[in-house]
Each structure stands twice: as C-alpha cells, then as structure tokens.
Amino acid sequence: MSDPLTTWPILSHYEGETLREVAFPLGGIGTGTISLGGRAELRDFEIFNRPAKGLTPPYTFFALRAQAEGYPAVTRVLEGVIQPPYSGSFGVKNPTAGLPRMRHVALDAAYPFARYTLSDPDVPLIVYLEAFNPLIPLDVDRSSLPIAVLRYVLVNPSDRPVQASVAGSLLNFIGMEDCSCRTGPTLTPGALSNLLGGNVNEVRLGAAEDGTPLCGLFMRSERVPPRTSQDGTMALVVLAEEASWRRTWGPTRWNRHLLTFWDDFSTDGRFDDPEEVLPSPEGEGQIGSLGVTTWVEPKSKATITFLLCWHFPHRTAAGCGWNTLDESGGWIGNYYAKHYVDAWDVALQVAPRLPQLEEESLRFVRAFVSAELPQSVKEAALNNLSTLRTQTCFRTADGNFFGFEGCCDGEGCCFGSCTHVWNYEQATAFVFPELARNMRELELEYGTLESGMNCFRLRLPLGGEPWAHAAADGQMGVVMKCYREWQLSGDDDFLSRHWPTIKSLIRYCWLPGGWDADQDGVMEGVQHNTYDVEFFGPNPLTGVWYLGALRAAEEMAKAVGDIEFARRCRRLFEQGSAWIDEHLFNGEYYVQQIHTPASLDEMRPELRVGMGETDLTDPDFQLGNGCLIDQLVGQYMAHVVGLGYLLKPENVKAALQSLFRYNFRRDLYDHWNVMRTFALADEGALLICTWPHGDRPKVPFPYFSEIMTGFEYQAAAHMIYEGLVEEGLAVIDAIRARFDGHRRNPWNEQECGHHYARAMASWAALLALSGFHYSAVSGLLELGPRWKPEGFRSIWTIPFGWGIVTQTIWEAGQAVKWEILAGELPVRAMRYEIPQGKRASAVEIEASSQPEIIDVEQEGNAAKITLWQPIRVPAGQSLTVCIKLAPEDTGGGDS
C-alpha cells in the first residue's frame, strides 16, 4: 500500500511521555487560538479576545464509528487514552473519561502543521489527524485566519471494506461567565454551568463560491450583551455534501445527554436531530454534533475535513488585560473580524482557498525543514513563530499590531508592546516585516513625546494620555529597529518622514538630568531597563544599546543629509566606545560602575518607573561586577542590522567566552534561585547573572538567578556571530531539551507569561549561522555561513521575497544558489565569505536577466561583487554565483 498521506514535512516527533505537555496552537495572527493536546484532544479555547489557559469546554471532541464488513461496529473518541492522575473526588474529572479512546497516539509536527497518528488494535482503521492554520511569510492577511483546519484521514490497511463515520461535538459556551483574573476564565468541568444561557445551534447548509459543499452548525447566543468580548459566533463545519447533526444532546439529568449522544452515534454513525430545539436555559450552554459517513475500501483511505471557525469582533483593552484610562474599557476591536460577517462567513470564504493556502504554507515549511541546520535551532526558530498567532499579539480594528510581553492564564501579561522586551526578537522583522514596520510607526507617532522621550509602553485606545515613563534600553532599541526596518525595506520615505522623531530619541539622552547629560557617549544617569529596575551609573546593558543607537542614527542622518548630526553621533560613539572598553571591561567581561546622583530630584522624573531603588547611599538592584547574560545585547543587535562592531572585537569575544564559562550550567542541581523557576534539577541553562569573583551585591537586580529563554537565545546567537558556534549551540540545545513535550510545551516558551515575545530572538540564530544580511538601501546581499559552510543550506527571508540558499565549497571553487520561492530578490552587490587562505580569481553569475559584473574585490576573507545595474530575480527562478578560488599567495587570474 503506497503512502496514503499528504506529503507534509516533519521537524519533530513526539510520543509517549513527550506528549504530556503538548498544546499545539491553531489560529492566525491576531485571532486567538484553539490548541490540540498531546492526546489530540481539543483544549485551551483562547478565542474570546483574551488568554484562556485551561479553558477546555466539556463534551467537545471528535469520535469515530467504524464497522468492517462482517464484523461488529466499534466506537471511539478520536483521542489518546486519558493519562494519570485519576484521583478526583468523584473519579476522573473529565466528564467523558468513561468513553473508550484510541490506545496509541503519536505526533509529527512542523509548525503550523501537526499530524497525529491514532490507532487501536480493536479499530479496523488507522486514523491520522492533520491539523493546521495557514502560515505564509510576508502575507499577514492570509496568515491571520480565525480557523482551525482538522482533516481526518481514515486508512484501511485490511482486505475488507469499512463503513466509517466521524463526528465532531462542540459545546456552544458563548456567554461563559467572565473571570477577569490572572488565574484564567472559569468553566465548570463536566457541567454546562457558568453560562448566560440562550445558546443556539443552527444548521447551515450551502456551498462556497467555487462549489465546495459545506454542512455545519452555526453557534451563537441570544443573551450576550452587544459589543462585549463574547459577542460573536462559532461554527463547526464539515466539507461534505451530506452530513447528519444534533443541535442539542438533550436533557442533562443523570448524564442523559451523554448517553443520548453515545447511543445515537454508536447505533449507525448518524444523528437523529430533535424536531424542536429551544435555546439553552439560563446557566447552560448547548452541545451540538456534526457527523459524516463514508466507505473506506480495502488498502485505501478516505478524508473528512472539519473546520472550527470563530468570529468575535469586540476586543476591549481592559478585557484582554491592556492598560487603559477609558472608563468603558477601551473598545479597540479586531482587524480579522472586519473581513467576515460571522463565523459561517469565515468557512464560506476560507474553504475554497484551503488547497492554495495549504500549499503555500507547505512551501515555506518544506523549505525550512530542508535547511541543513541543527535540529534545536530549527525547532527554536520555527516553533516560536507560533507566538505571533497567540493572544500575546493582536491587531486592532484599524489594523495596528500590538503585543503583550506574554500571557498569564487569563489575561495578557505586561501591556504596551514593551520596547525593552520586543527589542530582542527578530522573527517579526524577517517573516512579517509589515508588522514590524507598523510597530515602529506606533512607537514614533504615538509613543514618542515632544521632548523625544519614548513611552516604552503604549496605552489603548491610542491618542489618550500616554504612559509617560522611559526605558533606556527600550528607547535605544527603537532607534536601532528603525534602522533595521529602513535597511530591510529600502524605504527612504519611511526614514525621511520619521527622521525628526528618530533624531529626537537620541537628543533626549542629552537633556539635563538625562542618560547622557554631559554628552560624552556614556550613559551615566538613572537607567530603567528590562529588569524592571533602574541601574545607576555606566553599565554595559544600556551603554552598548546607546552605542548602537548612535551608530544607527549616524547612518540615518547621513542618508537624509543631516551631516552635522551624523558627525555628532559619530564623535559620541567613538568616545563612548573607547570609554566602555577602558573602564567597564575587566579583562573578562563588561561590568557596571555604580554611580548614584546626589539626589533623585536631579534626575528627570520619567526615568524612574517606581519599581527600583530609592536609597542612594547603598542602592539595591544593581549589577555591579556581575557577568550579565545580555551585557552585549546592543552588539548582538548591531550584528543583526549590519552596523559592525561597537566595541573592540577581541573584548566582545572574550566577554562571551566568559559568559559561557561562568553562566552556563549543564545541570542546575546546585543552583539556588529565589525568584521564578523556569529551569531546575537536571536541566541545562544559561543563567541571567553570576558574580564569578564573589563580589555579588547584597541585593542584586531581581531576576539575577532566573533562567529565561529570550535572553538565552540572544546570547547564543551572539556567540555564533563571534565564531563561538559550539558554545552558542550548546545553549540552544539546552533550551530545547527543556521544551521537549515531556517537561514543557514545545510551542510555549514562558518568561513573564506564556508565549513570551522575547523568545522570538531565536530567529537570530538562523541569521548568525548563515551569516545572512541584506540591505535594500544599498542592494547588498551577504552570506557567510558559520555552520558547515562547505555544504550549507538554509532559508532566507526579506520584505520582498523568500527562498532557499545553498552553498557548496570545493578545493578550487565555491557555488552559491539563491532560489526564490516567493516574491523576488533585488540585488545590486553581493559579498561572500570564502575559505581562509583563498582569493576569488574569477566569478560567474547566472540569473533570469544576465547581470554584468563591474567589480570583484577581496575584502578580508570575502569576495565583494558589484553589478553594473541592479537585478530583480523573480519567484520560480534562481540566482547562481560561481567563484573560482585560488591560493592567496599566487598571482594572476581574471577578475
């Protein structure tokens, strides 16, 4: 029997204990998610405009009835068996625990695709659940669909035909009692309580524009107040010409409703719908079921596709946990909801496009999985893309994109698109650059005051009284991210339009009582930062961010013709860089000099948030001589955006070597931690801060003993940039070993909340390993793999397109092939790292429009190729560069 399944790529395999913590999120950007657990069970319905960990509606599952010819029928819930513990006061808490399930389950995944294999020796079919939500790089709208696609593939390995029915059941729990607390929304397990009532399940039959048949249950409530978070609809839909349904399971006393369902479905695989169904009474919801029957011939398969759709337009700032001064809660809406009338309309619009959406998503994931990179790096980068499609992120009705830092169980955690957290991540800028650009617009237009102070958190709705506090690292990161977005896009209008505001962000540092009031290139004032306290005096965390912002501002100033400001930034950068290398580098790593002002009254009041020290005689919450995990985060960012070194390269590398030596632990048995625990016991990790020489402050900054993946990823990527590849990969390996499905969910890296934004710094590891850099301003494309350069393969993404790059090196030559899988690749110049001791003696280029080379020059260990005119290589074609290599000590050769 040939492979009966769709050709889906597989990145990771989970079975047995590694399924224990799995919760695979299915949802689009800004739509919320529904997750699939390790048993293939539906869980965590986070679709009501707020996080909702643990919100799993009872009686919501899929079931199979299968009858092989000549044998009795068997009925199973299409989930793996429920795992211990079983010790509830009235038995197992799951109200359907007594229904038989499939004995064996395994999961193969490559986000956003999940394939569960379900089998049982008493069931004549093997069942595969193929679940996904479209994810297409650079295409925000088609990656923002409020839908979970659940395709059940029934495989018959026997010699007998099998009659099979698959049914989905969903509790209409719209109007669930809201619980505005961090512990999460409440829905009583096993009951239909905590609801407003008035829940209605309507039968909908029809076809999409292309003729795709749809049968479904459209779910609404007659009692939910208008313009509230649960004022919306759900739909359970099957792509089939015929189906059977039950709009309700009927009376609930003594579990008659569950008996009714099981008897009805088990008898013949079809449902008998009651003639009259009333809206659910007060306090209850309404369970609906939808089923399809088919024959599965011997050695064959049958496919049944279900869609779970939702449409809840009325997000409010207060309702999701965002800070607002609007007494009515701050209605902000949802952008995704503007594209559909209701949940049924979602099915009508998306169903005809599913084949194309799936294929384009698969094109990306296949390319990604094909990269010849370490497994842990691929998992870290791809799995953390899911954060953009969780309740950490949302788009308001006007299309603007916002992000919490992470999610508590029942509300967003740490509002405001917090700059000092979002500074670290790189996935948004490279995979969905439209969203990154939008974040910069909001930071500049709504978050920056006339003084040049950037409010590192944004309140909603926009336009009201700002959250007027400044973070030194956050503000400098905004400058560097503006530079990144300008370089990647080549949009000079973006730069010229926003240059006055960007410039003000730098000038703000020089105001009296500010971060660099004496204008010597060194931050010395009160510096609020990502550790939620203020550092007093020069330190590497904010100081190197400042250096990076000065360099970025210098380049942007030159581009807009502001030459005097560019010179000023350059002068301060050189002074500050020399000072930090001389005074903060202790021979091993960079440290803080604790300098307190004579009085806090001398400092600008907005520089203190109220969480740090007020006693200036011996201030707590400082770094001192500690070896800090992100002491060089500004240099990390400079490498990502192509600004070069901000400090002496030898000191930078030595600091990262020291960081690995002093902060990396193969296990944590001897590590003590008084704050939050994100790693422990036999797990490896890179600690936030250590004091190798025993001079720890009595009360250091709060999170010093913790472990957080976002910080680890930036440090690991930076190690790789500095050639410390083995060390960087050891850190990433340790992280992913902690998120193995047994210990933690592979698609949920926590820091201050679930799905923490900073963890998307993992994308930078791809950039560091490949040495990939692109500037649309200059048209320069660069590649310099630090991982197996002789046979390298990886994915690349820029705002104009994406694809695969491969490199092969042999004794006399080097070939690089850029495949464009979507969009286009505009190029004016290229720079390729070549083997040590070699030089480029000749270059040949093949492309759709044959370019004319005007210059090839050696730049250190790289060949720089300049084209006479820019070329634009379209999707479906490739750009191939062949470099003839010769020993450095030989003369002659063509150029």
Side-chain angles (χ1 to χ4, degrees), residues 326-496:
D326 189 327
E327 293 182 357
S328 65
W331 189 95
I332 49 179
N334 279 319
Y335 184 71
Y336 85 83
K338 296 177 64 175
H339 295 80
Y340 311 100
V341 175
D342 52 31
W344 181 255
D345 190 40
V346 173
L348 286 174
Q349 290 195 44
V350 175
R353 297 185 288 151
L354 271 180
Q356 182 180 9
L357 291 168
E358 180 178 357
E359 180 51 41
E360 292 191 38
S361 301
L362 282 171
R363 185 187 308 158
F364 166 63
V365 178
R366 287 187 184 119
F368 190 98
V369 171
S370 74
E372 296 180 3
L373 295 171
Q375 173 75 8
S376 61
V377 171
K378 292 195 286 187
E379 284 189 0
L382 188 62
N383 288 13
N384 278 304
L385 280 183
S386 64
T387 296
L388 291 172
R389 286 139 63 89
T390 67
Q391 287 286 358
T392 293
C393 306
F394 58 91
R395 295 181 77 188
T396 50
D398 55 13
N400 286 320
F401 178 74
F402 299 90
F404 288 99
E405 294 182 23
C407 295
C408 297
D409 287 350
E411 66 178 4
C413 181
C414 306
F415 77 99
S417 300
C418 178
T419 56
H420 61 54
V421 167
W422 282 82
N423 274 353
Y424 291 70
E425 72 90 13
Q426 303 299 331
T428 309
F430 284 90
V431 184
F432 295 107
E434 174 187 338
L435 300 180
R437 283 275 298 276
N438 179 239
M439 294 186 89
R440 303 295 82 75
E441 302 270 0
L442 296 173
E443 289 160 354
L444 297 173
E445 295 176 10
Y446 292 94
T448 304
L449 308 183
E450 289 187 10
S451 65
M453 189 207 87
N454 175 260
C455 307
F456 71 91
R457 299 188 190 276
L458 289 172
R459 281 196 174 110
L460 288 172
L462 293 171
E465 182 181 339
W467 196 81
H469 296 286
D473 52 351
Q475 182 151 332
M476 297 304 95
V478 170
V479 177
M480 295 190 77
K481 289 183 292 188
C482 287
Y483 178 79
R484 179 187 65 192
E485 269 62 273
W486 170 55
Q487 285 288 310
L488 284 173
S489 68
D491 187 348
D492 291 333
D493 181 63
F494 167 84
L495 178 59
S496 60

Side-chain angles (χ1 to χ4, degrees), residues 814 831-838 858-863 888:
Q814 179 171 332
R831 187 178 186 275
Y832 297 103
E833 293 288 331
I834 59 178
Q836 190 82 23
K838 297 283 188 177
Q858 189 94 0
E859 292 185 349
N861 288 326
E888 277 186 328

Side-chain angles (χ1 to χ4, degrees), residues 189-334:
L192 308 181
S193 58
N194 302 328
L195 296 167
L196 298 174
N199 296 79
V200 177
N201 298 338
E202 299 176 358
V203 176
R204 293 281 180 97
L205 305 174
E209 287 186 357
D210 70 336
T212 300
L214 304 175
C215 302
L217 294 176
F218 177 69
M219 299 184 172
R220 59 184 177 85
S221 172
E222 297 178 342
R223 296 184 185 175
V224 172
R227 291 177 68 84
T228 59
S229 64
Q230 293 196 37
D231 179 13
T233 57
M234 300 188 297
L236 173 62
V237 183
V238 65
L239 305 188
E241 295 182 354
E242 295 184 2
S244 64
W245 52 81
R246 286 195 71 99
R247 289 169 291 165
T248 180
W249 285 9
T252 62
R253 188 179 183 188
W254 294 110
N255 271 10
R256 285 176 60 191
H257 61 306
L258 187 55
L259 177 63
T260 298
F261 162 80
W262 194 252
D263 279 350
D264 193 359
F265 184 61
S266 297
T267 298
D268 59 4
R270 297 184 57 84
F271 293 112
D272 298 316
D273 192 42
E275 292 185 4
E276 182 180 11
V277 178
L278 299 176
S280 65
E282 183 176 354
E284 293 190 12
Q286 194 86 279
I287 312 170
S289 295
L290 180 71
V292 172
T293 300
T294 187
W295 279 94
V296 189
E297 297 300 327
K299 310 296 183 182
S300 186
K301 69 172 182 176
T303 300
I304 302 173
T305 301
F306 288 86
L307 308 178
L308 281 174
C309 310
W310 59 92
H311 184 265
F312 293 94
H314 304 295
R315 178 182 291 270
T316 65
C320 66
W322 201 275
N323 187 284
T324 182
L325 300 179
D326 189 327
E327 293 182 357
S328 65
W331 189 95
I332 49 179
N334 279 319

